[in-house]
Amino acid sequence: MAGTQDGDRGDDSGDIRDGGRNGIRGDIRESRRTRVHVVSDVHGNVRDLAGAGEGADALICLGDLVLFIDYADHSRGIFPDLFGAENTDRIVELRTARRYEEARDLGARLWAGVDRRPAIEKAVRKQYAELFAAFPTPTYATYGNVDMPSLWPEYAGPGTTVLDGQRVEIGGRVFGFVGGGLRTPMRTPYEVSDEEYAAKIEAVGEVDVLCTHIPPEVPELVYDTVARRFERGSRALLDAIRRTRPRYSLFGHVHQPLARRMRIGATECVNVGHFAGTGKPWVLEW
């Protein structure tokens, strides 16, 4: 799937929907062909992010810019920078085994001598400064569950539009964006209640392309084959896909899913959350 060029599923005529009250009109005017590159789960990959928009009319980013722990390389990220690879090995081992209480206990002991919030914010700010500077113009972005939304206004330049529970028109099609994740034992920075998440999905309404950080709640889409666990997907998102029938549902969050792509009714559901590992955006062209 990585970097696959993908057309739409049929004739556009009569299928361009109005942006509505929550809509934000993008800078791209209707033209004969439009090409959009989509990334998610960037996790510190600044080098490839800088070229992710090449050849595209716009870049879409579905969050998780920050690299806290790299589950493939335990020497990379905020946590190993503070506490070393050996402690990171142990945290990953405990989390993978779903021994969350032991993982929290170990984390608490490690953080006991560190002023946690300023240390994390300093590290996140350093990553954000580099990552947001790499975004091309225009970029449309929403938050991932490990992101810190309160800091984004400081780093998002005029070419980057941040959306959460909102819509934007790109090349004559309406894109809806819902960021963040649902609450989990991991307690990542931007987790919200099921009710708050459902309200954002409802605010987006009918769109051509529904862009979220987390997937719909389908076992094949939420199971991570490397972490060996089910991540949290959204039932509200799944219900909205069935009800409103967008052309595409695009998401990330699950890095090594059992299924990267499947159709739910009329909607093509695609996991684009491979960017940190492959450095290649997913391509949508119409």
Side-chain angles (χ1 to χ4, degrees):
M1 181 203 65
T4 300
Q5 180 170 313
D6 203 5
D8 59 37
R9 52 176 183 84
D11 188 357
D12 286 346
S13 56
D15 197 35
I16 297 173
R17 301 172 184 145
D18 183 73
R21 189 168 59 182
N22 293 322
I24 299 174
R25 181 170 292 278
D27 293 331
I28 298 173
R29 302 294 184 260
E30 278 189 64
S31 60
R32 196 170 63 85
R33 300 293 292 176
T34 299
R35 181 183 174 100
V36 171
H37 290 181
V38 189
V39 302
S40 185
D41 299 81
V42 175
H43 292 302
N45 189 348
V46 178
R47 182 192 62 187
D48 291 320
L49 185 62
E54 290 180 6
D57 296 291
L59 178 71
I60 288 175
C61 179
L62 303 184
D64 271 10
L65 299 180
V66 173
L67 179 61
F68 194 75
I69 293 178
D70 187 336
Y71 278 67
D73 180 355
H74 300 171
S75 68
R76 298 179 64 244
I78 294 172
F79 192 90
D81 285 349
L82 291 169
F83 303 116
E86 185 175 340
N87 284 317
T88 307
D89 290 343
R90 183 58 178 159
I91 282 282
V92 170
E93 178 186 346
L94 292 171
R95 288 181 175 178
T96 302
R98 301 182 183 87
R99 294 158 61 184
Y100 297 118
E101 289 298 330
E102 292 177 65
R104 278 196 288 272
D105 288 345
L106 174 57
R109 292 196 299 273
L110 293 172
W111 284 106
V114 179
D115 196 345
R116 180 171 183 154
R117 185 174 182 84
I120 290 178
E121 184 170 316
K122 180 180 179 181
V124 169
R125 284 182 177 278
K126 182 178 184 298
Q127 291 188 20
Y128 277 169
E130 297 173 350
L131 289 159
F132 277 92
F135 277 146
T137 298
T139 291
Y140 301 93
T142 196
Y143 317 111
N145 61 294
V146 302
D147 285 312
M148 299 178 69
S150 62
L151 298 182
W152 279 37
E154 297 181 42
Y155 296 96
T160 299
T161 302
V162 180
L163 305 111
D164 190 12
Q166 296 166 292
R167 301 140 62 102
V168 65
E169 184 181 309
I170 304 174
R173 288 195 179 169
V174 180
F175 288 67
F177 291 78
V178 174
L182 296 173
R183 288 177 181 157
T184 70
M186 306 289 279
R187 300 178 184 177
T188 52
Y190 190 42
E191 295 180 352
V192 301
S193 68
D194 288 61
E195 294 75 17
E196 184 178 346
Y197 195 87
K200 292 194 292 183
I201 292 288
E202 185 67 24
V204 166
E206 289 191 14
V207 295
D208 296 301
V209 184
L210 186 50
C211 300
T212 59
H213 177 67
I214 63 174
E217 191 181 72
V218 177
E220 295 89 343
L221 298 177
V222 300
Y223 185 74
D224 191 304
T225 59
V226 173
R228 300 194 303 278
R229 65 169 178 257
F230 289 96
E231 302 289 355
R232 284 214 64 189
S234 169
R235 180 73 190 190
L237 173 58
L238 177 60
D239 291 343
I241 290 169
R242 289 171 170 164
R243 184 178 67 255
T244 65
R245 297 164 56 90
R247 292 173 181 264
Y248 290 95
S249 167
L250 307 180
F251 48 86
H253 187 56
V254 182
H255 298 168
Q256 298 89 15
L258 194 61
R260 290 199 177 275
R261 187 168 188 156
M262 70 163 42
R263 184 172 288 273
I264 298 175
T267 302
E268 193 72 19
C269 300
V270 185
N271 183 312
V272 300
H274 51 74
F275 188 77
T278 68
K280 297 178 180 179
W282 187 78
V283 177
L284 179 64
E285 188 172 21
W286 65 96

